[in-house]
Amino acid sequence: MNWTSATALAGLLLPLTTPATSQTLAGYVTQAGPGGTMTMTMPGSASNPDRAVTEELTFEPWDVLGALARDDVVLLMRHGPTDWSKRDMVDVAPTDCENQRIMTELGKRQMYELGALMVANDLRPGRIVVSEWCRNQQTLDAMQSGMVDADPAALDGVEIDTMGDLNLLLSLQGAPDVAAMRDFISDWNGGEGDGPLLIISHFTNIQELTERTVYEGELLLLDPNQGNQVLGELKLGSAGPDVGHFE
């Protein structure tokens, strides 16, 4: 990754370009209040409106920009937006998609755009691990689609795994506590890939580990070198509270 220091970026509009098929992939970072926004131009969107990315990825604080350039940090993410009109059946298995809350079509589109925005703005993960639950797997699928549409080589060499230790806390076949997840994060040192570790888990797990409440699709930036301290947060501009965990 090749970010300039956050101080030098303050107040500027920064284009980040990466070759992608026959067109140019461009991401832009701007300062906004205490944080900043990341936007992009999706290759091929001029001729195919379905590829257009209209979301923006917001982050706070602004100074976290420098840490986002590091490979030894962790992006701890809650799955994308779901349909709260259908709740999980009691004791539903993580892979039983018919009887649990799953993502909305709009949520899938938002996660597609999140993946594209991450690639365009040089936030390609070096490794991805995800919970077994259907909504988490759907989040990953949508993000992967956006990433490779932005750059077909975006996930080349990226190890992607499903991990039971990330399953919904205290549920059937879920994690009994966050000890294993905490240790996994603590052990991340950048690996062999070029990019941070991306973990896609659940509200309850993230709250237990960080004492933070997060929206669906929100990411927290953690530093394993500082005791898994939360350095900042990233979320789409459309992100908001859900009826299950916020009044």
Side-chain angles (χ1 to χ4, degrees), residues 30-207:
T30 57
Q31 189 169 15
T37 63
M38 297 179 180
T39 55
M40 69 171 295
T41 300
M42 178 67 113
S45 59
S47 58
N48 184 358
D50 288 341
R51 292 173 57 87
V53 172
T54 59
E55 290 274 4
E56 62 181 20
L57 180 58
T58 67
F59 64 91
E60 290 186 7
W62 173 252
D63 288 343
V64 80
L65 196 56
L68 288 172
R70 293 165 43 192
D71 299 333
D72 62 346
V73 292
V74 175
L75 290 168
L76 179 58
M77 177 181 176
R78 183 184 176 194
H79 59 76
T82 55
D83 179 6
W84 280 91
S85 69
K86 180 179 181 180
R87 302 299 178 99
D88 298 334
M89 182 181 291
V90 176
D91 291 337
V92 65
T95 57
D96 181 2
C97 301
E98 294 296 322
N99 294 301
Q100 63 177 260
R101 193 177 82 252
I102 57 175
M103 289 185 66
T104 63
E105 291 305 311
L106 176 58
K108 292 177 183 178
R109 178 66 197 187
Q110 290 168 333
M111 294 301 95
Y112 169 91
E113 296 196 17
L114 173 61
L117 282 161
M118 290 176 66
V119 167
N121 289 282
D122 212 12
L123 294 179
R124 305 166 191 246
R127 184 182 179 189
I128 303 173
V129 290
V130 59
S131 161
E132 293 179 299
W133 283 71
C134 298
R135 48 187 174 263
N136 297 66
Q137 295 290 328
Q138 291 173 330
T139 299
L140 173 61
D141 289 346
M143 291 179 68
Q144 284 182 284
S145 294
M147 288 177 175
V148 298
D149 271 2
D151 180 357
L155 295 175
D156 286 359
V158 177
E159 183 179 353
I160 301 175
D161 297 301
T162 294
M163 183 177 294
D165 289 331
L166 306 178
N167 284 0
L168 186 60
L169 194 64
L170 300 178
S171 68
L172 177 70
Q173 300 179 41
D177 52 46
V178 294
M181 185 167 75
R182 179 184 293 110
D183 291 344
F184 184 70
I185 293 172
S186 298
D187 289 342
W188 177 254
N189 60 8
E192 298 179 359
D194 180 18
L197 171 65
L198 172 61
I199 296 176
I200 306 175
S201 189
H202 301 264
F203 176 94
T204 309
N205 305 53
I206 296 171
Q207 184 182 46

Side-chain angles (χ1 to χ4, degrees), residues 18-38:
T18 304
T21 62
S22 61
Q23 299 189 44
T24 300
L25 171 66
Y28 302 92
V29 179
T30 57
Q31 189 169 15
T37 63
M38 297 179 180

